[in-house]
Amino acid sequence: MKTDVAIIGAGINGCAIAYELAKRGMDVAVFEKKWIASGDTGRCGAGIRQQWATEENAILAKKSVEIFEKLSEELNYDIGLRQGGYLVAIHSEEEMKQAKKNVEMQNRLGIPSRIIYEDEIKEIAPILDLDGMEAIAATFCHTDGHANPFKTTYAYALVAKKLGAKIYKFTEVKGIKVKDNQIEGILTDKGEIKANFVVNAAGAWSGEVARMAGVELPNKPVRKEALVTEPIKRTFDCMVISFKHGIYFSQQEEGQILGGIPSPEEKTGYYFEPTFSFLKHMAFMLGKYAPQLKHIKILRQWTGFYDVTPDALPILGKTSIEGFIQCNGFSGHGFMISPMVAKLIAQIICGEKTALPIDNFSIERFKGKIFKEKAVVG
Ligand SMILES: Cc1cc2nc3c(=O)[nH]c(=O)nc-3n(C[C@H](O)[C@H](O)[C@H](O)COP(=O)(O)OP(=O)(O)OC[C@H]3O[C@@H](n4cnc5c(N)ncnc54)[C@H](O)[C@@H]3O)c2cc1C
């Protein structure tokens, strides 16, 4: 079998890239060891936030929101986009200084974030208790929000297939063939496929996949846990987050509260088991942020992995091996920036000028001084 581009991983990024390439007439095939959205995409909060501390992430997120806003129409499939905003707690004067800098930078980029105080916070999310949150204010951006990660990924995959892309589920990539520093193809548990380009969109397994071609990535898989409660009456539309506490939670359309927080037992590696300490810590913090939630039942908890780079920015683009393209290292924000990321990867493969500069996402950046994204949660 032969294809122009072999994509490893059918998460949101692999499927969105397949769509962007198929749209450009490329012969593309996606190889997925399990099923579509079986990785982090199907385990994530699917929040969409433009309130970042680095311009790189803020621009990627803003451009992605512009795409998300038209995506249901473009793909002719409802992706469940809801723009209820993101409310980011500010806990101290020190944090206020950073928040002001972030908002100034975000506004300069056209992101409509602003600082809000108690009255407005209570208006936007009456469920919150500022004393319990230990918050003095918040930043808010009304165009941030949430989309359904399953619907969005399936929509990209369905339309990619209609345009000619192939998606091979339950097909694990076991090796990458390289000759004279040039990609030749991949080896799967079902056979060999020749390809001119291989895209590593394997999420938390991207380090292992890169190693198949002799490329070392600095990415580390870190176990992250999340939970969902029974549904309650809808009272707020925004995602609530805190960089200090690492907590994030929102209310789903059907009324459930979905969220996460770093577990006291958080560790690097492929640990799938959910922990009781996460459950206890999250329940305690949720009760502090929104005392009304103290008595609701938790229905389910699960684990996923952040694919974490040293600066919390993704790795996008070419490597020293001709035709081996990286699209990974998304930490806790690979869903929200995927629409723009997919366009950039397709532009790189098709030899087009990229719509945004991508040097700051290059794997080469780790050879020099890096600037860490501070605005992370989960
Ligand atoms: C608890 C939690 C909450 C999160 N919340 C948010 C959020 O609110 N907003 C946000 O933007 N992001 C969030 N994230 C991060 C987000 O989920 C990821 O960054 C994003 O889903 C990455 O998508 P992906 O397509 O790159 O990877 P994945 O969805 O992980 O897809 C990679 C795929 O590659 C497959 N694969 C791996 N190795 C192989 C192989 N050898 N052969 C074939 N297939 C292979 C895997 O099975 C997997 O399906 C969260 C993550 C977690 C864990």
Side-chain angles (χ1 to χ4, degrees):
M1 189 187 147
K2 236 176 124 182
T3 181
D4 285 342
V5 187
I7 299 172
I8 307 174
I12 184 67
N13 283 295
C15 293
I17 296 167
Y19 164 71
E20 287 293 341
L21 286 171
K23 208 167 73 171
R24 288 167 170 77
M26 294 288 278
D27 182 17
V28 52
V30 183
F31 299 88
E32 167 55 55
K33 67 179 172 182
K34 291 187 176 166
W35 57 90
I36 292 172
S38 59
D40 267 2
T41 300
R43 296 155 195 270
C44 79
I48 300 168
R49 152 165 75 99
Q50 300 157 95
Q51 299 179 71
W52 289 95
T54 59
E55 281 202 28
E56 287 87 351
N57 273 334
I59 293 171
L60 274 180
K62 177 176 185 287
K63 294 279 174 202
S64 293
V65 165
E66 288 163 13
I67 301 170
F68 273 123
E69 284 171 342
K70 298 191 180 118
L71 203 54
S72 293
E73 199 183 318
E74 182 176 337
L75 302 177
N76 194 23
Y77 193 109
D78 179 11
I79 63 158
L81 178 69
R82 284 198 292 130
Q83 287 172 291
Y86 252 70
L87 189 146
V88 185
I90 301 172
H91 300 279
S92 62
E93 288 308 326
E94 192 59 29
E95 278 194 16
M96 179 62 93
K97 272 192 221 150
Q98 183 64 43
K100 282 183 178 161
K101 270 196 213 160
N102 292 353
V103 165
E104 189 274 322
M105 177 269 285
Q106 290 154 9
N107 291 174
R108 183 163 37 81
L109 299 175
I111 297 166
S113 56
R114 61 203 165 86
I115 294 178
I116 57 172
Y117 295 90
E118 186 163 7
D119 287 353
E120 210 177 342
I121 293 175
K122 294 295 276 180
E123 229 173 83
I124 292 169
I127 197 163
L128 294 178
D129 176 46
L130 257 67
D131 289 339
M133 291 168 72
E134 298 161 25
I136 55 169
T139 63
F140 186 72
C141 174
H142 69 276
T143 54
D144 288 347
H146 170 272
N148 183 309
F150 297 100
K151 288 184 178 178
T152 312
T153 311
Y154 274 89
Y156 269 129
L158 278 174
V159 183
K161 281 208 275 192
K162 273 191 197 153
L163 294 170
K166 308 270 187 312
I167 300 184
Y168 298 96
K169 292 181 269 181
F170 299 100
T171 306
E172 183 165 359
V173 176
K174 298 282 201 183
I176 298 178
K177 289 191 79 178
V178 178
K179 195 173 170 203
D180 299 333
N181 219 40
Q182 166 91 42
I183 283 290
E184 277 202 328
I186 56 170
L187 301 167
T188 76
D189 54 4
K190 309 248 167 72
E192 188 177 330
I193 293 94
K194 288 195 190 330
N196 303 320
F197 291 93
V198 170
V199 180
N200 180 1
W205 296 269
S206 54
E208 294 187 349
V209 165
R211 230 166 282 132
M212 293 177 191
V215 171
E216 272 306 318
L217 298 181
N219 311 16
K220 298 256 180 318
V222 179
R223 174 174 60 190
K224 293 287 171 180
E225 299 182 60
L227 61 74
V228 69
T229 69
E230 64 182 336
I232 54 165
K233 189 169 169 272
R234 278 286 299 280
T235 49
F236 64 108
D237 289 327
C238 63
M239 177 80 90
V240 178
I241 69 171
S242 155
F243 302 135
K244 180 183 171 191
H245 297 133
I247 192 169
Y248 66 93
F249 62 94
S250 65
Q251 188 167 26
Q252 305 298 290
E253 218 167 351
E254 302 79 14
Q256 309 94 321
I257 307 294
L258 190 152
I261 197 165
S263 159
E265 285 179 69
E266 189 165 289
K267 48 186 178 179
T268 302
Y270 297 106
Y271 298 98
F272 286 93
E273 318 76 37
T275 63
F276 185 67
S277 57
F278 160 75
L279 210 53
K280 215 170 126 189
H281 185 45
M282 181 66 186
F284 175 73
M285 290 305 286
L286 211 47
K288 277 175 68 98
Y289 271 64
Q292 191 180 321
L293 301 180
K294 270 185 186 164
H295 304 291
I296 61 169
K297 294 189 182 74
I298 292 163
L299 289 189
R300 195 161 66 87
Q301 86 182 95
W302 63 92
T303 57
F305 301 96
Y306 281 9
D307 179 30
V308 178
T309 58
D311 55 5
L313 290 175
I315 301 179
L316 306 177
K318 298 179 179 175
T319 57
S320 55
I321 305 220
E322 201 63 37
F324 190 36
I325 307 291
Q326 302 307 305
C327 178
N328 47 60
F330 292 105
S331 293
H333 46 283
F335 178 76
M336 64 182 79
I337 59 177
S338 58
M340 193 58 204
V341 160
K343 274 194 197 299
L344 293 172
I345 297 291
Q347 286 163 347
I348 293 167
I349 290 173
C350 295
E352 297 169 16
K353 185 175 174 337
T354 53
L356 295 174
I358 53 158
D359 286 355
N360 289 349
F361 302 113
S362 154
I363 189 172
E364 296 297 314
R365 72 182 185 269
F366 298 108
K367 290 182 182 156
K369 191 172 178 338
I370 54 167
F371 297 93
K372 193 167 174 10
E373 171 62 73
K374 294 190 190 107
V376 289
V377 289

